[in-house]
Amino acid sequence: MNTTMRDVFVDETTRLLDTEPRLALVLADISASLFDKAAADHPDRVVNVGIREQLMIGVAGGMAQTGLRPIAHSYAPFLVERAFEQVKLDFGHQGVSGVLVSVGASHDWSAGGYTHFSPRDVALFDTIPGWRVHVPGHPDEVARPLNDAATGDESVYIRLSLRTNDRAYPSDGSLHTVRRGRHATVVAVGPTLDNTLAALDGLDVTVAYTNRPRPFDTAGLRSLLDEQETDTVVIVEPYLAGTSDHIVTAALADRPHRVKSLGVGRVDLHAFGTPDDHDRWHGLDPAGIRATVTDFLY
């Protein structure tokens, strides 16, 4: 069985609870059985509040006020959308920080239906200042941001997925140039990279990759565009289309540019399907990405 991003999260968090005395973990039933040993070893720092996601965030925020470093974990729609008022108030307004780690991404458990879809999560974090957002595209990209977050003092959101690329890249926040071209810079975020590379095969474009979209590496983007014939940017994100438009637009405000965003559409499709189906329906499969990019460029 292949190691998943959640497997890495569970193993690393269990280890960190043994070595970091200020670290705490707050759960709302999701993944609770995976932390049975950690809960037995650290009953005062591993808390399962049951199916009460708002309470989970409130407890985590309260722990942060006492000096603990909380990690709260659940499915993305429950962790972020359902409990967003508590994220806004118990972390943002109170001026404390913590680590939120989600699973499910946008459509990982498509059989769960709309209640388990969460393409809006990163856009929501853009409304609260100071949140660092990691979107790993491979299980080997999980450990470093998790360790940095667990031992740091910033507010951090780590978005785990079952969707993965074939290879891992450093989790240092930089834009990593995967392929060079002249006609545009295409930025793939997290697990969209492999589909993006397949889509753009044979096109004269630069492909860059990031697994930390917030803060976005705007200096790296400007540097890549300096090598292009035009300031043309395409962003491929595994969540709501247009989420990063405001970042790119602000970064390039001093120079004429064009931006095209690909991601999950805003229409409720009222469909279950598979994760691959949702990629296709939202134009995030190789054929859809290629059609959009070629139409935009040529």
Side-chain angles (χ1 to χ4, degrees), residues 20-38:
E20 299 294 328
R22 73 172 184 140
L23 190 66
L25 175 66
V26 191
L27 304 168
D29 267 4
I30 298 297
S31 301
S33 63
L34 302 178
F35 288 103
D36 282 346
K37 182 180 184 303

Side-chain angles (χ1 to χ4, degrees), residues 20 39 71 76 116 129 132 161-162 165 184 191-192 195 207 212 231 233-234 243 246 282 296:
E20 299 294 328
I71 296 176
H116 286 72
R132 182 175 290 260
S161 179
L162 293 173
N165 302 314
T192 66
N195 278 359
V207 177
R212 194 209 65 193
D231 282 358
V233 181
V234 179
T243 295
H246 69 106
H282 292 284
F296 182 58

